[in-house]
Amino acid sequence: MRSLAIVNQKGGSGKTTTTVNLAAALGEKGRRILVVDLDPQASASHWYGVKDGGRGLLEVFTDKGTIAALIRGTEAPGVSIVASSAWLVGVEKALAGEVGAETILRRKAERLASGGWDYILMDCPPALGILTVNALAAAQEILVPVEAHVLALNGLAQLLQTVNVVKERLSPLLKLAGILACRVDYRTRHAQEVVEQLRDRFGKSVYRTVIRENIRLAECPSFGQPITEYDTNSHGAEDYRSLAQEVVKQERSR
Ligand SMILES: Nc1ncnc2c1ncn2[C@@H]1O[C@H](COP(=O)(O)OP(=O)(O)OP(=O)(O)O)[C@@H](O)[C@H]1O
Ligand SMILES: [Mg+2]
């Protein structure tokens, strides 16, 4: 089993789009995936048609609930979800000052190892608060979607610094699965330059797959489907299948 936190503190970088569509593309390849929505905005949950995830996940953090009790199936083959809701905003306050608050999810997720999952994908909120730190501490690897815009590169250094702190203090084995260029509009020179800069700076840590700007990707949440089902021949579906291929190839070296 691999567990990946999909993380970037910058809003709108493509975390949820990547979580949902990578999950579906891995599902097409016969993998079993559990998506854990850790964002109080609950975008991934809404995408999968869960209107109100309730307070279950909050209770996992405040120690009463189990993750296993919250797992629901989705219409995407192979993909199940632990849904989020606005209740999750309460985690920050509930855990303020609590010893060991950063590793609650890791402790709760340990039992998932026996559930037959090939992948756990955690969709993080756009902040480096307690929820994201819990995801970093619970995950074996991180996948960082970056919007192909020069301003997005500035935040990346800060993120990688936080990852290093988590690694030193909580999770020495945490690895970078890869950086993913998202929303790349090849009609602009700027987007191409940003992708080149990413490759210059981070080399092989950047996935070869690039997620192109594709209107179909922006449309499909409203239809409750991943791109592989909403428009199976779109650029978006092609790109996320290509990412899934790369991610599956990494299995050998993990
Ligand atoms: N490749 C793409 N082409 C077109 N639109 C995209 C693409 N990727 C993401 N989007 C759109 O950009 C917006 C932000 O994407 P997304 O919600 O995945 O980012 P996020 O990092 O999860 O945001 P947040 O930080 O708010 O959770 C959404 O409206 C989404 O539909
Ligand atoms: Mg999101």
Side-chain angles (χ1 to χ4, degrees):
M1 184 187 86
R2 289 173 75 188
S3 57
L4 286 88
I6 317 297
V7 60
N8 191 333
Q9 79 280 16
K10 191 173 177 304
S13 47
K15 294 179 286 295
T16 301
T17 306
T18 297
T19 305
V20 168
N21 295 305
L22 173 60
L26 287 168
E28 279 188 341
K29 290 182 168 298
R31 300 298 190 276
R32 289 190 68 215
I33 303 97
L34 180 63
V35 169
V36 180
D37 187 355
L38 290 172
D39 186 354
Q41 294 178 98
S43 323
S45 308
H46 296 157
W47 195 325
Y48 281 120
V50 183
K51 289 202 183 74
D52 181 6
R55 52 190 299 165
L57 203 47
L58 173 63
E59 286 175 356
V60 166
F61 280 97
T62 53
D63 236 29
K64 277 175 279 181
T66 67
I67 299 181
L70 303 177
I71 299 173
R72 1 179 159 207
T74 74
E75 282 178 25
V79 183
S80 296
I81 187 168
V82 171
S84 168
S85 77
W87 280 99
L88 212 49
V89 174
V91 165
E92 209 79 40
K93 204 168 158 202
L95 299 183
E98 183 159 326
V99 178
E102 296 92 346
T103 48
I104 293 177
L105 189 64
R106 173 156 79 200
R107 278 177 273 131
K108 294 276 185 156
E110 268 164 14
R111 286 193 224 147
L112 292 175
S114 58
W117 307 104
D118 297 303
Y119 285 88
I120 296 184
L121 301 183
M122 294 175 251
D123 186 18
C124 293
L128 291 174
I130 193 76
L131 287 164
T132 297
V133 170
N134 261 276
L136 293 175
Q140 299 154 344
E141 303 170 55
I142 64 166
L143 191 161
V144 184
V146 181
E147 192 186 347
H149 196 281
V150 75
L151 292 175
L153 297 181
N154 300 336
L156 202 51
Q158 193 199 350
L159 171 62
L160 296 175
Q161 207 180 339
T162 304
V163 169
N164 277 332
V165 173
V166 171
K167 217 172 132 140
E168 274 167 31
R169 297 188 189 163
L170 298 171
S171 207
L173 299 178
L174 185 65
K175 279 190 200 155
L176 175 63
I179 297 170
L180 177 69
C182 289
R183 310 204 60 171
V184 178
D185 185 349
Y186 277 121
R187 289 167 305 182
T188 72
R189 180 79 204 123
H190 178 70
Q192 290 170 43
E193 279 167 7
V194 171
V195 175
E196 280 162 23
Q197 274 182 42
L198 266 181
R199 295 202 193 283
D200 283 350
R201 241 170 98 192
F202 299 100
K204 284 197 174 141
S205 298
V206 182
Y207 283 111
R208 269 188 290 128
T209 302
V210 158
I211 309 297
R212 289 166 283 184
E213 181 78 19
N214 179 217
I215 186 71
R216 306 297 269 167
L217 278 169
E219 284 168 11
C220 56
S222 327
F223 293 86
Q225 289 178 314
I227 191 66
T228 42
E229 292 184 25
Y230 176 65
D231 188 348
T232 190
N233 296 318
S234 60
H235 281 169
E238 195 182 303
D239 293 345
Y240 277 106
R241 284 192 184 108
S242 158
L243 175 65
Q245 187 71 37
E246 275 193 76
V247 167
V248 162
K249 267 198 196 143
Q250 292 178 324
E251 288 173 2
R252 288 187 227 135
S253 56
R254 302 288 134 167

